[in-house]
Amino acid sequence: GNWRQRWCVLEDDFFWYEDEEALQTGQAPKGRIRLDTWFAIPQEPPNPECFFVLHAVPRSLKLKASNPREMQEWVDALNYHGRMESNFQAIYESVCMEEP
């Protein structure tokens, strides 16, 4: 795929990411997502590429970790900080992920 390496930060109510140049020079991040309502899930197995998805209303972001442990750490950290309604993930999956 056409993946670009980004450095990601989870801080307060924001998830932001930047490239190496922005990281080294202090430039503005490439992207920033306000985390009002969100959850993260790993891609269904088999998942040798360590993909996971951050579903942050109104958008989703597909991410790739370096290894399974890093992927699980990101998923756990994002979900730990989540302030979603307890049934948001189930509602999202039933409405947004149904087969046409």
Side-chain angles (χ1 to χ4, degrees):
N2 189 15
W3 289 91
R4 293 190 177 101
Q5 187 171 17
R6 299 285 188 240
W7 282 259
C8 301
V9 175
L10 176 62
E11 183 177 44
D12 299 323
D13 293 341
F14 291 95
F15 175 85
W16 50 274
Y17 52 95
E18 56 191 28
D19 62 13
E20 187 172 12
E21 180 182 349
L23 179 70
Q24 292 177 350
T25 62
Q27 295 176 12
K30 291 288 181 188
R32 186 169 125 164
I33 301 171
R34 182 170 176 86
L35 300 174
D36 290 327
T37 305
W38 77 95
F39 67 94
I41 55 172
Q43 183 173 298
E44 292 290 323
N47 186 12
E49 297 293 325
C50 303
F51 291 119
F52 63 103
V53 180
L54 171 60
H55 295 285
V57 177
R59 68 185 276 204
S60 294
L61 187 63
K62 186 173 184 179
L63 303 158
K64 180 179 176 182
S66 299
N67 57 61
R69 181 176 177 210
E70 181 182 82
M71 176 192 68
Q72 193 60 54
E73 287 173 351
W74 271 107
V75 169
D76 290 346
L78 286 160
N79 288 333
Y80 175 79
H81 291 288
R83 285 191 238 129
M84 63 184 173
E85 297 177 26
S86 60
N87 62 350
F88 175 71
Q89 182 173 350
I91 293 169
Y92 179 90
E93 288 174 352
S94 69
V95 173
C96 299
M97 300 181 83
E98 290 179 346
E99 295 293 323

